[in-house]
Structure formats: structure tokens, C-alpha cells
Amino acid sequence: MKKNISASLEKNLQDLQTEFDNSADLMIRRMQVCGVPAALVSMEGLVNKLNIAESILNPILQAELEEKNPVKLFSLLETRILSTTDHNTFTDQEELMTFLLNGFAIFLLDGCGKALAAGVQGYAYRSIAEPQNENSQKGSRESFVEPFLINMSMIRRRIRDPRLKFERLVVGKRSRTNLLLCYVRDVAAKELVDGIREKLLQADMETVMGSGYIAPFVSKQESGFFFVGAGRSERPDTVCGKLVEGRVAVIIDGTPSVLVLPRLFVENFQTFDDYVNRPFYAFFTRILKYIAFFLSLFFPGFYVATAAFHPELLPQPLLIKIAQSEVSTPFPLMLELLLIHIIYEIMREAGLRAPKPLGHAVSIVGALVIGDMAVSSGLVGPPTLMVVAVTATAAYVTPSLYEISSVIRLVMIFVGGWLGFWGLMLGVFLVLVNICSETVYGIPFSAPVSPFSWKSMRDVFWRSSWKRLGRRDARIQDLPGSKLFSGEKQKESSENRK
Amino acid sequence: MEAKQKTGTLLRSSQLYGAMFVSQLLMILTLNTVLSGGGRMQDFIPAALLTFVGNFIFILPAAFLFKKYPGKNVLDIADLLLGKGASVVRLLYGTYFVFLAAYYLSLFQLFLANVMDPRQSLAGVAAAVMGVAVYSALRGIEAVVRAAAIVGAFTVLGCVILLFILFPRFEEVEFLPFFEEGMQPIFTGALLILGRTGSFVLWGFLAPYTSGKKGKGYLAWNFAIYIFTTLILAAAIGALGANLDAWLFPIYSASAFAQTGLLQSMDTLFIAMWVFGLLAKLSMNLITLQMSFQGRKRRKKWPVFCAAAAASALALLICQFVELQQLFFGLWLLLPATGITAVGIPLFLLLVSGWKGRKRGVTYEETHSGSSS
């Protein structure tokens, strides 16, 4: 039910005080403008007081006006006196609340059933810094910050195209979090944008405090899918690269990372540096990343299966070394690996959560306990420790896959130790089917590897030169197996809809 | 559009042929003479040429049927022509898929029990393998076909590695004269391969739902299979000679014999190829079986679970009883079953269609124009 702003200033202020229950951060500055009672309402901490004084209070109080009619006076103030760059007039009380809570200053005049919201936002926020999780040697040093409008500007600065569109949405019944749906109009498939918008609006959430809150709503994944069909990036350049390929970004207020949809499996192995390095080196690092991912997932399981079931596979000197080290340890190889991995995960979690001053202590204890004492006390064999070390390091090469690889790895150790190599292969196939089973907004998660497209492979296992990459019109909806319309089909589809 | 509604998707014909390639390669990798009543492995080389021709002949009735009823698979056509009688066709296909799944599963169980680890519980093996196959089948045809394409690439790579390792050991002297025992063993070999080829029925179920060049794809698939069969058999026989005839799993033995660099043998590569191929094959069997039993709208899960349980039980029985092994691994069960499902049923439907058309005096196209578009 729409409720209009009252013409009575006292009633409006009374309503606001009741709504906020006299909250300490509600600021009301009463004044007289040409003898007409007026008030400026704002929220403490969300506005820039200097800006208020310079662009609202000083011009109003110093203005020499003769007008006594409140409606005409309001119009005069709006058009000739106020010097704010961003202001809106409205009559709806709900809009008043939205503007007020978004850091606008609300000007109310007695006898006028309208309000004016002036953009004087100004709150303390972290300045733009280097990305924490997506480091780049040669790329930009900027990363997203918490205020969504700054993130919006960072994208706009990189894509100076009027077809880049930002749509503002509000999600969260209580938090009323601002979101921006960002896409390039003539590149992104309409079905994709509509689908994501619909999912966002349908998200039944009380509060949205980060991208992780809404990722499950928008990634549209089936139950039982191990991976995530929504990517996250804290680099504006990476997000811009994705946008021009037809993807959609969701900027969430208060979160220094942006959701990018849809995300395919192969994107986990692409980094910004791949595109600034020379192609041969990009190819080399990509292959390293794939190898590292497979090592992080299957190496411990393969080690257990080989040592326990297929020792004939190993060269004799290596086999003897493993046998010598294992003969003195009390646990079976599978249990040994499981224990060490779990201890390693505990250490990692402690290092991550412990207060910074304690971090070094955790590292020292971890290095001593796992690295030295476990071997010297005879609980663990050195080859096992070596396997764990290689696996742990390999897992950090693809950080976006760390969560899933750390769990699958434990399962693979168990299966490899229980059933042997063929059991491990059952696990590999299961993971493969899981990867291939998901379709994110009509695009197979496993594309363009399967369904295969030679054209799209130019940026999968290797990265072609910019002469070729720059020439191509790589849109996400053009990938093999995609059920999204593209190009001419998209035009026809939108015309049909009209 | 109808294809999309029926399978929930529209596949590309290249994806289907990829899946069929994996399925066929699995059969080639597990060829043996011990379980199928003796003979020489070498005879499978000329038999492969006969199979190449047979692969074209076996799909002719289905191909004609699809030309007459575009966009419909064998089951749709059976429903259209036979009404309630189509349930017999569905039952026949369902039974065939269970037999085929049991055959491939039992072969793997025998391999594990005889070659890898005799202590492995056969029921445990069946449960683990079928568990993953059921999971894959329930993820849908698209998932399995996409996974099969990756498995196919891996298998081709694996076969190429094996060939590279085995060919330096190739010796012409290992080959005995061909046709020494007449044409009989060669015909038997060709019929054994044809009988174990589940790809005809898979094609009959899925080809109408695919987009792309079906004819050229089939030709490429058949040619690729022929080349791979010949090369793998030639490399294995050229390296190990008549010894292969005495081994239960000759291609495995050849891969175990292969040695390169640090790796003492390539048997793990072979096991990986086998497990991947087996799972792709079993999950496709379960999906096609599910298609056989599903209604027009709902996708029921119970046929998958029941078929998995039935195939596992049958596989365990095959491992237990020699008589069943002789039946399943010889000519007298799978060849007639493949003949009925791949050739017999489509031929019968063609005849019924022709008879009904003559009776009504109009053709199907005239009565159903536009329904298939």
C-alpha cells in the first residue's frame, strides 16, 4: 500500500521518529525558509556533513527569497537554490525511507506534500587496494572495494560504452541490500539477463551480507553438483573481460568481490596474467594449473592405490624406498595419508582464523609437528609427507577449486586405499560425470571441452595470440551446447516477444 | 521439438558417435578367445573387416524406418504402429539392456577376480560399479554423453600410447598364416563382435533425437572402429604372438607386458580405459533402459534401480556358473538378442508400417504431415 508524504512537516517528522523509534543515528535539522518551517533529515555516518553544509544548508539559509507559497518555494529551492548534483523529488514515503537509508539528505517543507532527496553520501570506507586473492604480476593493481557505487565506476572506467548497463535491485527483506546487475546490452543474451534478474528478485533472504549469500540463488545449480556455476572476482579488469564475452556481473553493496555468471569449469584455470603474458608462457602456466588440479585431487589416492595394490607399476628403487619407510610406521598407508591430510587442514584453518599475531606461532607449530616430529617419531613415512606437501601446494594453484578439491581428495584416498586403482577410476568417472552434468543458464558447465568446439578451444588449454583472440567474437551463448539465443537469433527472439 | 521433450535435450550426432565409439572400444579391449570357446585372436583381424560391412547392414532396417518417420525413435514408432503391443517391444529392449549390462559387468568381475585380486568381493565390485553407473544415469543422457566424449579422447590417447609402446616389439613372425582353418573362425569372430555391439540399439534409440550429419558420422564411427580394432589386435599379436590365445584378457596382458621409462607396465592405463569405458557403457544402457520404461512425460527412476540390481545379480550368477558363462560369452545369446533388437524389431515395424499403409491406402507422411517437424 503506497503511503504519501504528508503536507504537514510535524506529522512527517513524527512518522520518521516513530519509525526509527528515536534511533540515535537519525539526524533532524529544523530551520525556517522565508518564514516557512522546514527540516533536513539524514542518517549519522552515512552523509558528508561538509557537503550538506556547502550544498544544502548554506544556499538555503543565505537565499533571499520572497516566496511564501510552500509549493512554489519548494520548486524554487529545487531548481534554483540547491547546488547538489544528484537530487530527486518524490511523494512516496517508502521512497523517502530508501533514500534516507542510502545516505541521502531529505529536505521537507511544511505545507508541501513532497520531499527532496539530495545525494550527499559520505561514509568511511576502505580505499582501493591491491587484490588479496587474485594477484597479478602485470595487470592492474586495483581491486573492488565495499561501496557498490565505487565498484560500478571501476567497471565503467574500463568499458566506456553506453551499451554497458547497470540495473539497480534491492535484495534482503531486512538488510535492503543494493545490488547492481551489470551487462553489455548488445552482447549478453536476453534470456540470461532475465533469468538472473528473476532469480535475484525471487531470492527469499532476510539479509545479504556478501556474495556467498546470493550465489546459491543465482547459480541455478541442481542438487548434488559439486562445483559452483557462479564465479567471484575482486579484479575489475577480469570482470570487464567476462562482461564483453556476454556474461553478467552482480555487484553487491558491502562486498569487495563481484559475482560473474555463468562460470564454466575451464574458467577456474584462467587468470588475468594469461592474457598479458606471451601465448607460449600462458599455455605453459595453463597446463601447469591443470596438472596441479589433477594432482591435488587424485595424487594421494593414486599413491595409496599404487603402493598398496599395484607396486609393480613403480620402479624398483622407488618401491624399496617406500617399503623401507612404511615398514617402521604403525598405521596402514591409507590411514596415514588421511590423518596427515586432516591434520594439515586443521593447521590451515587455524592459520586462517587465528589472530594475525598468533599466525606465526601456528605456522611454526605446523611446520614442526607435521614437517619434523611426525617423521622423526616414526608415525609417518617421509614419502607420505612428500605426497601431502605436493598435494597441498598443488591445491593452491587453483584457489577457486580449493574447497571441493580438499574434500574429494579425502574421498579418493579412501577409495584408492579400499578398492585400488579401479576404485580410484570409479571416483574419477563420478567427478567427471558431475562436471559434465551441470548446465548453468543453458550453457554446459563442461563446455567447450565437452560439447567440444575447436573454435572456443583457443582460450582453454592454450591461449591464442591476441591477433586471433581479438578478432574473434567470443560470446558465452555461442559455446557448443548452449541453449541461449545469440546474435540474429536473439534479435528474432526479442522481436517475437514484442 | 519432440526430441527435446522426450530426452529433455537435443544431442549432436558427433556426441552420440563419441559415446558409441567408447562403447565399441570397450568391447575391442575385452576381446578374448578363452571365454568364447577357443580360437585364435589373430582371426579377429579379418573378422573386423567383415564387422565393418556388418555394421552397415545391421542398421539398415532402422535407417529406413527413421527415413519414413523422421524425428521418432524405434520406441515412438512402435507406440505409433502397435499401440499397446509396443509394451512387448519395450520389454524386449529392457531385457536386452540388462543382458548387455550383465555381460560387460561380469567380464570386469572375472577380470578382477582372476587377474587383479582374487580376494575382491564380486558383490562389492558389482555394487561399486553399478552404484556409479546408476548415479551417472540419473544425472541424465547429456551428462553421460559429455563424459563419454572426454573418456573417448582419453581412451584414444591411451590406445595410441599402447600402440607406440607395442609396435617396436612387433615381429611379423608372430603371425600365423591367415585363413589356415578356413573362413569358419573368421565368420565366428565377426558374429561375436556383432553380437556384443550394443551400439546399433543405442543408435536406434538416440539417433533420431540428434542434430548433425548422421550418415557421415556413422561412416566415420565405423571406419574409426575398424582402424582401431585392426591396429590394436595387430600390435598385440605382433608383440606377443599366439600366446595371447591362451590368456583370459589378451589386450590387458599385452598392456601389462608393455614397459616404458619409469613405468614398469601399462596395466593401470588399461584398467583406467576399461573402467571408464565400462561406466560409460553401463550408464548409457541404464538410460536407454529408462527410456524403454518411461511414460511420455515422467522420467521414472525405478527402472534404473531395478535394472541395475537385475544386471548385478545376473553378473554374479554368470561369474558363478560356467554354463552361464558359455551362454553369455558365446554366440547363442547375445547375437540373437542383438539381431532381434537391432534388426528384427525395426524390420518388423517396417513391415507393419507397410501393411498398415496399404490397408489405409495412404502413406504415413500424408496422414502425419507436420507432426514430426
Side-chain angles (χ1 to χ4, degrees), chain A residues 67-82:
Chain A
E67 187 60 61
K68 295 288 176 195
N69 181 327
V71 177
K72 284 183 182 168
L73 181 64
F74 188 90
S75 173
L76 208 62
L77 287 170
E78 185 197 350
T79 53
R80 289 178 52 188
I81 306 299
L82 289 178

Side-chain angles (χ1 to χ4, degrees), chain A residues 298-330:
Chain A
F298 305 117
F299 186 42
F302 181 77
Y303 172 69
V304 178
T306 309
F309 291 88
H310 308 277
E312 75 281 358
L313 192 73
L314 301 169
Q316 214 173 15
L318 180 61
L319 188 63
I320 291 168
K321 284 219 178 297
I322 294 172
Q324 277 174 344
S325 68
E326 288 311 312
V327 89
S328 58
T329 57

Side-chain angles (χ1 to χ4, degrees), chain B residues 162 165-172 174-175 232-244 247 254 257-258:
Chain B
L162 272 183
I165 298 167
L166 286 174
F167 263 118
R169 295 157 200 267
F170 184 91
E171 303 233 5
E172 271 178 58
E174 298 288 1
F175 285 88
I232 291 169
L233 287 173
I237 295 163
L240 294 175
N243 292 325
L244 287 181
W247 281 326
F257 174 73

Side-chain angles (χ1 to χ4, degrees), chain A residues 223-224 310 312-315 419 421-422 425-426 428-430 432-434 436-439 444 446 450-452 483, chain B residues 12 15 112 116 120 128 135-136 139 142-143 146-147 149-151 262-265 267-268 272 275-276 279-280:
Chain A
S223 59
H310 308 277
E312 75 281 358
L313 192 73
L314 301 169
L419 297 173
F421 189 73
W422 70 271
M425 290 302 109
L426 291 184
V428 174
F429 189 82
L430 196 136
L432 185 64
V433 167
N434 194 274
C436 293
S437 67
E438 190 61 26
T439 304
S446 52
S450 185
F452 182 77
K483 292 183 179 76
Chain B
R12 291 195 300 175
Q15 289 181 296
L112 286 182
M116 298 299 298
Q120 290 272 10
Y135 171 83
S136 310
R139 299 300 290 187
E142 274 194 325
R146 284 179 204 148
I150 296 171
V151 166
L262 275 175
L263 296 172
Q264 298 297 292
S265 82
D267 54 350
T268 45
V275 173
F276 287 162
L279 288 168

